[in-house]
């Protein structure tokens, strides 16, 4: 039995942070970072059956073209992903009344729709990126046993290429769900490695008033390639989603609308349009 200190439930039996019961979520789930983006997706739904919010975690479940879909905001960063992925898994794979893991496990389909900055000059603003791999620079997933799911060859190649300081912890590389990649892919979508940082400023090479440990890290990432996969973009969630998804048995894919190009120093003239187009494309693919 899972102790109450390990799986914390609210008085109504819902999981602690998400404030959800098992019947509140669909099998197909879309993640967004920003709680205000949830309704930008569900506005296209035919109907909404459930809505809940606690802290930054906003959840709506409804029907789009006959398909039941949940949209959920995760907030920012790998620490929040650790909460969301574990509590979502508990909703479908733990009996919350007996606190026993279920014998027959459920695999969820989880697609992240985010915004990101491209590291490559030829991946312009307003384009879409599909993350074939998540490369975690955040160290969160190292709290789990990941040797069987991580790509050690890619990790070692990245460490050698960047002369990585091991005091920051060892990066980890996790692949996306092939099932969801095949569902979503098109010739309009760029593919590559998405690097996941543990912060927005120093961890992503931004300098305001503080010096950073490796001021050349972004340029090193620009030039990194492994089996013809480049690092396309840098954000704060993808590798954590892929890693926990693999460990827990869920299908996960991360998509990003590129609203900035770090190589050219440009920013989208209409970032909301790019996000809306990615939302519409993803919803239609899920409904198929």
């Amino acid at each position: 039995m899972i102790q109450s200190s390990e799986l914390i439930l609210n008085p109504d039996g819902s999981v602690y942070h998400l404030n959800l019961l098992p019947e509140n979520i669909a099998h197909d789930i879309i993640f967004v970072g920003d709680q205000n983006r949830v309704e930008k997706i569900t506005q296209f739904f035919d109907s909404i059956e459930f809505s809940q919010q606690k802290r930054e975690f906003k959840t709506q479940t409804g029907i789009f073209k006959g398909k039941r879909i949940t949209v959920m905001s995760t907030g920012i960063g790998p620490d929040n992903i650790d909460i969301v992925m574990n509590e979502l898994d508990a909703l479908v794979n733990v009996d919350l009344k007996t606190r026993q893991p279920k014998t027959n496990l459920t695999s969820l389909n989880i697609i992240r729709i985010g915004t990101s900055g491209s590291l490559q000059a030829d991946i312009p603003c307003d384009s879409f990126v599909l993350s074939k791999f998540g490369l975690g620079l955040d160290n969160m997933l190292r709290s789990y046993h990941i040797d069987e799911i991580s790509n050690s060859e890619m990790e070692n190649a990245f460490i050698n290429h960047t002369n990585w300081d091991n005091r920051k912890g060892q990066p980890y590389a996790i692949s996306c769900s092939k099932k969801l990649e095949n569902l979503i892919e098109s010739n309009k979508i760029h593919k590559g490695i998405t690097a996941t940082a543990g912060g927005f400023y120093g961890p992503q090479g931004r300098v305001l008033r503080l010096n950073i440990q490796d001021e050349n890290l972004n340029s090193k990432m620009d030039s990194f390639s492994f089996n013809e996969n480049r690092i396309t973009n840098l954000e704060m969630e993808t590798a954590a989603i892929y890693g926990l998804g693999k460990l827990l048995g869920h299908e996960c894919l991360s998509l990003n609308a590129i609203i900035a190009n770090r190589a050219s120093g440009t920013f989208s003239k209409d970032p909301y349009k790019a996000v809306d187009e990615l939302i519409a494309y993803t919803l239609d693919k899920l409904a198929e």
Side-chain angles (χ1 to χ4, degrees):
M1 185 177 76
I2 302 172
Q3 298 298 314
S4 58
S5 59
E6 310 308 291
L7 175 58
I8 304 169
L9 301 179
N10 296 309
D12 64 354
S14 62
V15 290
Y16 182 67
H17 296 90
L18 302 184
N19 210 25
L20 299 175
L21 294 165
E23 60 266 27
N24 300 148
I25 63 168
H27 183 82
D28 296 281
I29 298 174
I30 294 174
F31 281 175
V32 294
D34 183 0
Q35 57 193 320
N36 294 320
R37 195 172 291 156
V38 171
E39 291 182 351
K40 289 184 179 296
I41 298 178
T42 60
Q43 67 177 325
F44 299 109
F45 282 17
D46 304 316
S47 61
I48 297 174
E49 67 183 62
F50 175 81
S51 186
Q52 179 69 278
Q53 180 164 4
K54 184 177 179 182
R55 306 186 191 188
E56 62 267 52
F57 308 113
K58 181 170 184 174
T59 303
Q60 290 191 331
T61 297
I63 304 296
F64 176 78
K65 294 184 179 180
K67 184 83 164 181
R68 189 169 185 253
I69 299 172
T70 291
V71 183
M72 174 182 296
S73 62
T74 63
I76 298 173
D79 52 344
N80 272 22
I81 296 302
D82 185 52
I83 290 171
V84 172
M85 292 295 292
N86 276 288
E87 292 194 5
L88 269 182
D89 181 75
L91 287 172
V92 295
N93 289 322
V94 176
D95 185 319
L96 299 184
K97 292 184 172 61
T98 66
R99 296 182 170 275
Q100 295 284 359
K102 295 179 180 178
T103 303
N104 297 319
L105 300 180
T106 296
S107 178
L108 299 169
N109 294 322
I110 298 170
I111 297 180
R112 178 180 186 269
I113 297 178
T115 56
S116 185
S118 167
L119 294 179
Q120 303 294 338
D122 61 337
I123 300 179
C125 292
D126 305 321
S127 60
F128 302 156
V129 164
L130 181 156
S131 307
K132 284 184 68 69
F133 295 91
L135 180 64
L137 313 180
D138 58 282
N139 216 34
M140 183 277 290
L141 205 68
R142 292 288 174 189
S143 294
Y144 300 93
H145 294 292
I146 66 169
D147 289 348
E148 291 186 1
I149 65 162
S150 63
N151 187 323
S152 59
E153 291 184 10
M154 181 184 292
E155 293 163 7
N156 290 332
F158 178 79
I159 289 167
N160 292 333
H161 180 81
T162 58
N163 193 25
W164 185 261
D165 188 334
N166 61 16
R167 290 175 297 179
K168 295 191 292 185
Q170 182 174 329
Y172 58 92
I174 314 288
S175 62
C176 72
S177 161
K178 288 298 295 182
K179 169 188 157 185
L180 293 181
E181 179 186 359
N182 292 337
L183 174 71
I184 295 293
E185 70 177 347
S186 81
N187 55 14
K188 298 178 181 179
I189 297 179
H190 299 271
K191 293 183 181 183
I193 303 166
T194 293
T196 295
F200 184 77
Y201 289 96
Q204 294 191 37
R206 292 181 172 92
V207 177
L208 303 184
R209 289 201 315 114
L210 297 176
N211 293 327
I212 57 177
Q213 181 271 329
D214 185 352
E215 61 185 19
N216 298 312
L217 180 58
N218 278 18
S219 62
K220 293 175 185 176
M221 289 197 292
D222 295 349
S223 58
F224 176 72
S225 178
F226 182 82
N227 290 346
E228 300 183 353
N229 291 297
R230 301 177 297 167
I231 296 180
T232 51
N233 60 315
L234 179 60
E235 45 83 273
M236 295 177 64
E237 289 81 30
T238 293
I241 293 170
Y242 283 9
L244 288 171
K246 278 263 196 305
L247 289 172
L248 293 166
H250 303 298
E251 305 284 345
C252 298
L253 187 70
S254 180
L255 304 170
N256 274 280
I258 297 301
I259 61 171
N261 187 292
R262 300 287 295 277
S264 62
T266 55
F267 192 82
S268 171
K269 292 184 172 61
D270 190 354
Y272 300 109
K273 181 174 182 288
V275 173
D276 286 345
E277 289 178 353
L278 181 56
I279 289 168
Y281 177 82
T282 305
L283 283 175
D284 284 337
K285 286 293 187 180
L286 276 177
E288 291 175 3

